[in-house]
Short mmCIF file of all heavy atoms in Angstrom, two decimals:
data_model
loop_
_atom_site.label_atom_id
_atom_site.label_comp_id
_atom_site.label_asym_id
_atom_site.label_seq_id
_atom_site.Cartn_x
_atom_site.Cartn_y
_atom_site.Cartn_z
N PRO A 269 9.13 -15.82 22.88
CA PRO A 269 10.01 -15.21 21.82
C PRO A 269 9.43 -13.94 21.31
O PRO A 269 8.16 -13.74 21.48
CB PRO A 269 10.03 -16.33 20.75
CG PRO A 269 9.60 -17.59 21.46
CD PRO A 269 8.73 -17.22 22.59
N LEU A 270 10.25 -13.08 20.73
CA LEU A 270 9.77 -11.80 20.28
C LEU A 270 8.70 -11.98 19.30
O LEU A 270 8.76 -12.82 18.38
CB LEU A 270 10.97 -11.03 19.66
CG LEU A 270 12.00 -10.53 20.60
CD1 LEU A 270 12.95 -9.57 19.85
CD2 LEU A 270 11.32 -9.76 21.87
N SER A 271 7.63 -11.12 19.39
CA SER A 271 6.58 -11.14 18.44
C SER A 271 6.82 -10.01 17.43
O SER A 271 6.35 -8.85 17.67
CB SER A 271 5.13 -11.06 19.02
OG SER A 271 4.93 -12.16 19.85
N LEU A 272 7.51 -10.20 16.37
CA LEU A 272 7.87 -9.06 15.47
C LEU A 272 6.62 -8.82 14.55
O LEU A 272 5.77 -9.75 14.35
CB LEU A 272 9.07 -9.48 14.60
CG LEU A 272 10.33 -9.61 15.44
CD1 LEU A 272 11.58 -10.07 14.59
CD2 LEU A 272 10.77 -8.22 16.20
N PRO A 273 6.40 -7.64 14.01
CA PRO A 273 5.22 -7.36 13.23
C PRO A 273 5.03 -8.36 12.02
O PRO A 273 6.01 -8.69 11.23
CB PRO A 273 5.46 -5.95 12.76
CG PRO A 273 6.53 -5.45 13.70
CD PRO A 273 7.44 -6.54 14.05
N ALA A 274 3.79 -8.70 11.80
CA ALA A 274 3.46 -9.51 10.63
C ALA A 274 3.30 -8.58 9.45
O ALA A 274 3.19 -7.32 9.49
CB ALA A 274 2.15 -10.24 10.89
N PRO A 275 3.41 -9.13 8.15
CA PRO A 275 3.19 -8.32 7.04
C PRO A 275 1.95 -7.55 7.01
O PRO A 275 0.89 -8.16 7.33
CB PRO A 275 3.19 -9.34 5.93
CG PRO A 275 4.04 -10.58 6.40
CD PRO A 275 3.71 -10.54 7.83
N GLY A 276 2.03 -6.24 6.82
CA GLY A 276 0.81 -5.41 6.74
C GLY A 276 0.38 -4.89 8.17
O GLY A 276 -0.56 -4.18 8.26
N GLU A 277 1.07 -5.32 9.20
CA GLU A 277 0.59 -5.03 10.63
C GLU A 277 0.93 -3.50 10.79
O GLU A 277 1.99 -3.02 10.50
CB GLU A 277 1.33 -5.83 11.55
CG GLU A 277 0.77 -5.66 12.98
CD GLU A 277 1.42 -6.70 13.98
OE1 GLU A 277 2.21 -7.48 13.54
OE2 GLU A 277 1.07 -6.65 15.13
N ARG A 278 0.02 -2.81 11.45
CA ARG A 278 0.05 -1.40 11.75
C ARG A 278 0.94 -1.25 13.03
O ARG A 278 0.68 -2.02 14.01
CB ARG A 278 -1.24 -0.80 11.88
CG ARG A 278 -1.96 -0.69 10.61
CD ARG A 278 -3.51 -0.34 10.81
NE ARG A 278 -3.63 1.09 11.41
CZ ARG A 278 -4.72 1.54 11.94
NH1 ARG A 278 -5.80 0.68 12.00
NH2 ARG A 278 -4.76 2.75 12.38
N PRO A 279 1.85 -0.24 13.09
CA PRO A 279 2.51 0.10 14.40
C PRO A 279 1.56 0.47 15.52
O PRO A 279 0.54 1.15 15.28
CB PRO A 279 3.34 1.26 14.05
CG PRO A 279 3.56 1.24 12.60
CD PRO A 279 2.21 0.64 12.11
N ARG A 280 1.73 -0.04 16.69
CA ARG A 280 0.83 0.24 17.82
C ARG A 280 1.66 0.90 19.00
O ARG A 280 2.67 0.26 19.40
CB ARG A 280 0.14 -1.02 18.27
CG ARG A 280 -0.83 -1.54 17.30
CD ARG A 280 -1.71 -2.72 17.80
NE ARG A 280 -0.85 -3.92 18.05
CZ ARG A 280 -0.47 -4.90 17.13
NH1 ARG A 280 -0.89 -4.71 15.89
NH2 ARG A 280 0.27 -5.83 17.49
N LEU A 281 1.15 1.89 19.52
CA LEU A 281 1.71 2.63 20.58
C LEU A 281 0.70 2.67 21.76
O LEU A 281 -0.37 3.16 21.65
CB LEU A 281 2.10 3.97 20.16
CG LEU A 281 2.48 5.06 21.28
CD1 LEU A 281 3.85 4.70 21.85
CD2 LEU A 281 2.62 6.57 20.67
N LEU A 282 1.24 2.41 22.96
CA LEU A 282 0.43 2.54 24.16
C LEU A 282 1.17 3.53 25.13
O LEU A 282 2.36 3.38 25.36
CB LEU A 282 0.31 1.23 24.93
CG LEU A 282 -0.54 1.23 26.20
CD1 LEU A 282 -1.24 -0.22 26.28
CD2 LEU A 282 0.28 1.32 27.41
N THR A 283 0.42 4.52 25.60
CA THR A 283 0.94 5.52 26.55
C THR A 283 0.18 5.38 27.85
O THR A 283 -1.05 5.22 27.83
CB THR A 283 0.92 6.98 26.06
OG1 THR A 283 -0.52 7.34 25.90
CG2 THR A 283 1.50 7.05 24.65
N VAL A 284 0.90 5.46 28.97
CA VAL A 284 0.26 5.18 30.23
C VAL A 284 0.47 6.57 31.06
O VAL A 284 1.52 7.03 31.28
CB VAL A 284 1.02 4.08 31.05
CG1 VAL A 284 0.19 3.70 32.27
CG2 VAL A 284 1.29 2.88 30.14
N HIS A 285 -0.73 7.03 31.53
CA HIS A 285 -0.81 8.30 32.30
C HIS A 285 -1.54 8.06 33.61
O HIS A 285 -2.32 7.14 33.79
CB HIS A 285 -1.46 9.37 31.48
CG HIS A 285 -0.65 9.75 30.27
ND1 HIS A 285 0.51 10.54 30.34
CD2 HIS A 285 -0.68 9.35 28.95
CE1 HIS A 285 0.98 10.67 29.13
NE2 HIS A 285 0.35 9.97 28.26
N ALA A 286 -1.35 9.03 34.53
CA ALA A 286 -1.86 9.01 35.81
C ALA A 286 -3.31 9.47 35.92
O ALA A 286 -4.19 8.95 36.48
CB ALA A 286 -0.98 9.73 36.86
N HIS A 287 -3.55 10.65 35.30
CA HIS A 287 -4.71 11.32 35.34
C HIS A 287 -5.28 11.76 34.01
O HIS A 287 -4.46 12.08 33.18
CB HIS A 287 -4.67 12.60 36.34
CG HIS A 287 -3.97 12.43 37.52
ND1 HIS A 287 -2.72 12.79 37.82
CD2 HIS A 287 -4.49 11.74 38.75
CE1 HIS A 287 -2.38 12.41 39.10
NE2 HIS A 287 -3.41 11.81 39.60
N PRO A 288 -6.60 12.07 33.81
CA PRO A 288 -7.07 12.69 32.68
C PRO A 288 -6.50 14.21 32.60
O PRO A 288 -6.55 14.84 33.63
CB PRO A 288 -8.54 12.67 32.85
CG PRO A 288 -8.84 12.57 34.28
CD PRO A 288 -7.68 11.70 34.80
N ASP A 289 -5.94 14.54 31.49
CA ASP A 289 -5.27 15.72 31.14
C ASP A 289 -3.75 15.40 31.02
O ASP A 289 -3.18 16.17 30.21
CB ASP A 289 -5.49 16.92 32.06
CG ASP A 289 -4.72 16.91 33.31
OD1 ASP A 289 -3.51 16.96 33.42
OD2 ASP A 289 -5.40 16.92 34.46
N ASP A 290 -3.21 14.38 31.66
CA ASP A 290 -1.79 14.18 31.49
C ASP A 290 -1.48 13.78 29.99
O ASP A 290 -0.39 14.11 29.55
CB ASP A 290 -1.30 12.96 32.43
CG ASP A 290 -1.30 13.42 33.88
OD1 ASP A 290 -0.96 14.63 34.17
OD2 ASP A 290 -1.55 12.62 34.75
N GLU A 291 -2.42 13.03 29.40
CA GLU A 291 -2.14 12.63 28.03
C GLU A 291 -2.13 13.79 27.07
O GLU A 291 -1.53 13.67 25.93
CB GLU A 291 -3.22 11.59 27.57
CG GLU A 291 -4.53 12.28 27.07
CD GLU A 291 -5.23 13.09 28.04
OE1 GLU A 291 -5.26 12.78 29.24
OE2 GLU A 291 -5.95 14.09 27.61
N SER A 292 -2.68 14.94 27.52
CA SER A 292 -2.66 16.08 26.60
C SER A 292 -1.56 17.12 26.89
O SER A 292 -1.17 17.84 26.01
CB SER A 292 -4.04 16.85 26.74
OG SER A 292 -5.09 16.04 26.27
N SER A 293 -0.94 17.01 28.05
CA SER A 293 0.20 17.91 28.43
C SER A 293 1.51 17.15 28.19
O SER A 293 2.61 17.78 28.37
CB SER A 293 0.05 18.36 29.81
OG SER A 293 0.04 17.21 30.79
N LYS A 294 1.47 15.87 27.89
CA LYS A 294 2.77 15.09 27.86
C LYS A 294 2.67 14.15 26.67
O LYS A 294 1.94 13.14 26.71
CB LYS A 294 2.90 14.23 29.09
CG LYS A 294 2.92 15.09 30.44
CD LYS A 294 2.86 14.13 31.63
CE LYS A 294 2.78 15.04 32.87
NZ LYS A 294 1.56 15.80 32.96
N GLY A 295 3.38 14.62 25.53
CA GLY A 295 3.46 13.75 24.37
C GLY A 295 2.24 13.74 23.41
O GLY A 295 2.09 12.84 22.68
N ALA A 296 1.33 14.72 23.65
CA ALA A 296 0.07 14.69 22.95
C ALA A 296 0.28 14.93 21.38
O ALA A 296 -0.45 14.29 20.50
CB ALA A 296 -0.87 15.75 23.41
N ALA A 297 1.23 15.80 21.03
CA ALA A 297 1.53 15.97 19.67
C ALA A 297 2.04 14.77 18.96
O ALA A 297 1.78 14.52 17.77
CB ALA A 297 2.44 17.17 19.40
#
């Protein structure tokens, strides 16, 4: 079942990239 956020839980984002530098040229801001 869906694990919806608990009270006080911080939003969490995971980004998946191929190489070092991709994380800075794609979505870094």
Side-chain angles (χ1 to χ4, degrees):
L270 293 188
S271 296
L272 298 175
E277 188 171 1
R278 294 165 64 191
R280 291 186 296 273
L281 170 66
L282 183 147
T283 68
V284 191
H285 293 282
H287 310 107
D289 76 65
D290 289 326
E291 85 299 326
S292 296
S293 61
K294 303 167 184 65

